[in-house]
Amino acid sequence: MSPIVFAFLAAILTEATTYGQVNVEPNTALLNEGDRTELLCRYGRAINYCRIEIPGEQKVLNLSPEWSKTPGFTYYGAGLNAGQCGVSIERVKASNNGQVKCSLGVEGEELSGTIDLVVALRPQQPIIELISKPDREGFFNENTLFNARCIVRDGRPPANITWYIDDMPAQKRVTPLEILSTPTNDNVELSTSVQEIQFHLAPEDSNRKLVCRSHHQTDRESVPPQEAAYIINVRYAPVRQEEALVYGLYLEHTAIVNMTIRSSPTPRIEWTIDGAVVPQGTTNDRFSAYEPQYLGNDYYNVTLAIAGLTLEDTTKIYNLRASNALGSTDYQVRISSSSRPPSTGLDVAAIVGIVVAVAVLVLIVLLVLFARATGRWCFGGKSIKTPTNETSDTESADIKATSTATATTATTMTTGAASEEATNNAANANVNAAGNAASSEQEPLGKRAKRLPAFAVAILKRFNEKDAAKKKDNSAETEITVPETAVNEQLAETIDGNDNEPKQEKQLVYAELVLKPANEATTPATATATITTTATPVAPATIPAGAKSATEYAEIVYVQKGEGKK
């Protein structure tokens, strides 16, 4: 069979079914008394008439869009030609509960349909029945299996039941909801709902309110759910507690030690201090025990008074025994003259302080990193650059002068004009050897100095200048003669390994130092040669035999090429 043929036959069958029966909506209408509702019966072809029978009404309603003869009941639908037969009920009555029947006349025959109309009837007030019975005073003992039943009678439809304890859902075992039919004298069927709850009683269940609450169709905002309540009373031995700590007591004053315990019925109190027993309502030496005071909800305040509290009293352990008909319980109490218990953790102020301190520390670190990266503040000193081909002779000399100590030399005492030339020749030979050695030692020093920060180099230079000035003031007047002869062959030994400037522009400085006696007229030391490279420290010249043993210091100043003397 092809799909087209199958679809055609299905359409024919559907149309025949539609024409052969009456459809209703809704199938069941659940309403409260006084509600408005619309009920509709439909047929697939035009109908000749529409009749509706409603329970509780004495006559059958013959309805049409053209007329309305029964007050409170009107036609509802798209018209008879559309095959619709419906009724609109303005106010539903309790007597209308039942099946609504609609009859439709179609081509000489009558078709009918039914709609279940349920008019809700509010049930009676819930009732709690106790299956497990209390004692004569209405108390249950601890660990007793409590069993109760909630009954909600005569509801339509049946009511649902929910259990609560002190307005909180009861997390207890309940039985499935049971629905019982309860017919009345007028043959109206009503329903009764029944449910049970079971749990073992504990001390915390005492004085709690057990609530059975019914939920029904008739509940509205103005008509809240109905409920029944029962107060549970439990008897139990005094409840155990952890060791109690009492703070804020004053030495040499009467100390009042209070403790709260829970018991039902009222407990009897007995204190024990270092073996001495003090029952309630009695005094033993400096210790007085008072009668328990009821605070409500099975709580009692127990008090012990200590006259003239001593430091030794704060080291004792105070034992308390509370007993009633169901048992006894022992407690331990410690006392202290401290104003409050020691803190087990950080308070809010400490946490805030730690957070602020960490934030300040992070801010300082960030500022230091920012200053170092941008060369600000204490990192704003003159930067050291490695000499390159583009670096001038003056810059190379500045770096050398700031990274090493000010060149100092020993002076040689001059004996006379006759021996001056011989002395100069010997001094030149010594200066050559010392210059070569100093040049080889100065190179690693210069490299190490370049690793210092700019501000450190500036501070070192300032200290060197002050030290040189003090030494210059305290030294004897010397005469320095620098020959103008340039020794280009030894230039490679005096320049830094990283300096790539042409060798013919570099000069090695030779200095001749002449020390004159203190009693002779002296002239200030002068530099006669033009210096274009870093000043090189010169080894001290040999002091001739017979000369006065003394060491004098002089600072070699240099003049940049093409400029005046410094």
Side-chain angles (χ1 to χ4, degrees):
M1 182 181 296
S2 64
I4 297 177
V5 175
F6 180 79
F8 180 73
L9 293 177
I12 294 175
L13 182 60
T14 302
E15 183 178 1
T17 303
T18 302
Y19 288 156
Q21 67 179 6
V22 176
N23 296 322
V24 298
E25 59 180 51
N27 291 324
T28 300
L30 180 58
L31 304 170
N32 291 328
E33 187 175 2
D35 290 348
R36 178 185 176 87
T37 187
E38 288 83 21
L39 308 176
L40 179 63
C41 298
R42 295 182 302 172
Y43 187 68
R45 296 181 182 180
I47 59 177
N48 298 327
Y49 59 86
C50 170
R51 292 201 307 267
I52 295 180
E53 299 178 28
I54 300 175
E57 299 300 327
Q58 297 180 355
K59 62 179 181 178
V60 177
L61 303 177
N62 191 1
L63 303 176
S64 172
E66 285 77 18
W67 68 79
S68 177
K69 297 182 178 181
T70 306
F73 299 92
T74 57
Y75 175 85
Y76 173 75
L80 299 181
N81 292 332
Q84 296 186 3
C85 175
V87 61
S88 176
I89 305 176
E90 185 176 349
R91 289 179 60 87
V92 175
K93 297 179 291 186
S95 58
N96 297 145
N97 184 79
Q99 283 190 341
V100 176
K101 181 180 179 182
C102 57
S103 301
L104 289 71
V106 181
E107 298 179 353
E109 61 178 335
E110 186 176 275
L111 301 178
S112 63
T114 58
I115 299 174
D116 290 332
L117 178 59
V118 178
V119 181
L121 181 63
R122 190 170 183 82
Q124 297 180 13
Q125 186 77 16
I127 299 174
I128 294 180
E129 291 184 354
L130 297 179
I131 300 176
S132 56
K133 303 299 182 180
D135 60 12
R136 294 179 179 180
E137 298 178 355
F139 285 87
F140 295 91
N141 289 338
E142 183 181 3
N143 294 325
T144 298
L145 179 61
F146 179 81
N147 191 358
R149 178 187 298 118
C150 180
I151 303 174
V152 183
R153 291 189 173 93
D154 300 337
R156 189 176 61 198
N160 292 321
I161 295 175
T162 305
W163 292 92
Y164 294 87
I165 296 180
D166 288 343
D167 296 330
M168 296 296 295
Q171 305 297 329
K172 308 296 182 181
R173 188 174 71 88
V174 296
T175 60
L177 184 64
E178 183 180 2
I179 306 299
L180 305 176
S181 297
T182 55
T184 61
N185 295 329
D186 53 359
N187 294 325
V188 177
E189 185 174 334
L190 301 178
S191 300
T192 298
S193 303
V194 179
Q195 190 174 55
E196 296 181 7
I197 186 171
Q198 297 177 354
F199 59 95
H200 286 85
L201 295 175
E204 55 269 19
D205 294 322
S206 184
N207 298 317
R208 301 181 74 178
K209 183 172 68 173
L210 178 66
V211 176
C212 165
R213 185 174 299 170
S214 68
H215 302 276
H216 193 257
Q217 169 69 23
T218 57
D219 294 340
R220 294 290 186 269
E221 293 183 0
S222 58
V223 185
Q226 303 177 96
E227 63 183 32
Y230 177 78
I231 302 300
I232 303 175
N233 295 313
V234 182
R235 293 193 185 276
Y236 50 90
V239 179
R240 297 184 180 276
Q241 298 181 22
E242 296 181 356
E243 183 180 63
L245 303 175
V246 180
Y247 291 89
L249 303 179
Y250 294 94
L251 298 177
E252 300 180 356
H253 290 74
T254 299
I256 303 299
V257 180
N258 291 314
M259 184 176 180
T260 302
I261 63 175
R262 189 174 187 181
S263 174
S264 177
T266 305
R268 182 167 183 82
I269 303 303
E270 184 179 84
W271 291 90
T272 302
I273 305 101
D274 284 346
V277 178
V278 185
Q280 66 182 37
T282 63
T283 300
N284 187 344
D285 194 13
R286 297 182 297 114
F287 302 98
S288 300
Y290 294 91
E291 299 282 346
Q293 296 180 351
Y294 184 66
L295 303 177
N297 198 26
D298 294 344
Y299 284 99
Y300 292 87
N301 183 54
V302 180
T303 303
L304 175 68
I306 306 175
L309 182 67
T310 64
L311 185 61
E312 182 182 0
D313 293 335
T314 61
T315 63
K316 298 178 181 178
I317 298 178
Y318 298 83
N319 296 309
L320 167 66
R321 171 167 291 183
S323 58
N324 60 17
L326 282 81
S328 61
T329 305
D330 292 331
Y331 306 89
Q332 284 188 347
V333 182
R334 292 181 181 270
I335 62 176
S336 174
S337 58
S338 300
S339 59
R340 59 189 235 174
S343 177
T344 57
L346 296 177
D347 56 4
V348 176
I351 295 175
V352 172
I354 293 174
V355 172
V356 172
V358 172
V360 171
L361 181 61
V362 171
L363 180 60
I364 293 174
V365 172
L366 292 178
L367 290 176
V368 171
L369 294 177
F370 173 76
R372 184 176 180 84
T374 59
R376 297 175 183 269
W377 306 320
C378 60
F379 298 98
K382 184 177 180 181
S383 61
I384 299 178
K385 298 181 180 179
T386 304
T388 60
N389 291 335
E390 293 79 14
T391 306
S392 63
D393 296 330
T394 303
E395 294 174 347
S396 176
D398 290 340
I399 297 174
K400 294 286 186 175
T402 58
S403 62
T404 61
T406 304
T408 60
T409 62
T411 60
T412 306
M413 188 177 299
T414 306
T415 58
S419 61
E420 181 177 359
E421 182 177 358
T423 304
N424 291 341
N425 293 335
N428 290 338
N430 292 335
V431 167
N432 288 335
N436 293 336
S439 176
S440 61
E441 294 176 359
Q442 183 180 356
E443 181 176 356
L445 293 174
K447 292 183 179 180
R448 289 194 297 268
K450 292 178 182 179
R451 300 189 188 99
L452 295 174
F455 72 91
V457 174
I459 295 174
L460 180 62
K461 180 178 178 181
R462 180 63 57 85
F463 282 136
N464 289 339
E465 290 176 356
K466 291 182 179 180
D467 187 46
K470 291 181 180 179
K471 292 181 180 179
K472 185 175 180 180
D473 294 339
N474 298 330
S475 64
E477 295 181 352
T478 57
E479 180 179 356
I480 304 175
T481 303
V482 181
E484 299 180 355
T485 305
V487 184
N488 295 330
E489 293 80 1
Q490 299 180 0
L491 183 61
E493 300 177 1
T494 63
I495 65 175
D496 186 77
N498 294 331
D499 195 345
N500 296 325
E501 295 185 5
K503 293 184 179 181
Q504 60 272 16
E505 296 181 6
K506 305 288 184 175
Q507 292 184 358
L508 179 64
V509 177
Y510 294 91
E512 179 180 358
L513 308 178
V514 179
L515 177 63
K516 294 182 179 182
N519 55 0
E520 295 182 6
T522 60
T523 59
T526 60
T528 61
T530 300
I531 302 172
T532 61
T533 63
T534 304
T536 306
V538 181
T542 306
I543 300 176
K548 184 179 179 179
S549 178
T551 302
E552 302 294 335
Y553 296 89
E555 180 180 4
I556 300 176
V557 297
Y558 64 94
V559 180
Q560 296 182 358
K561 180 184 288 187
E563 297 180 2
K565 295 181 180 181
K566 289 187 177 180

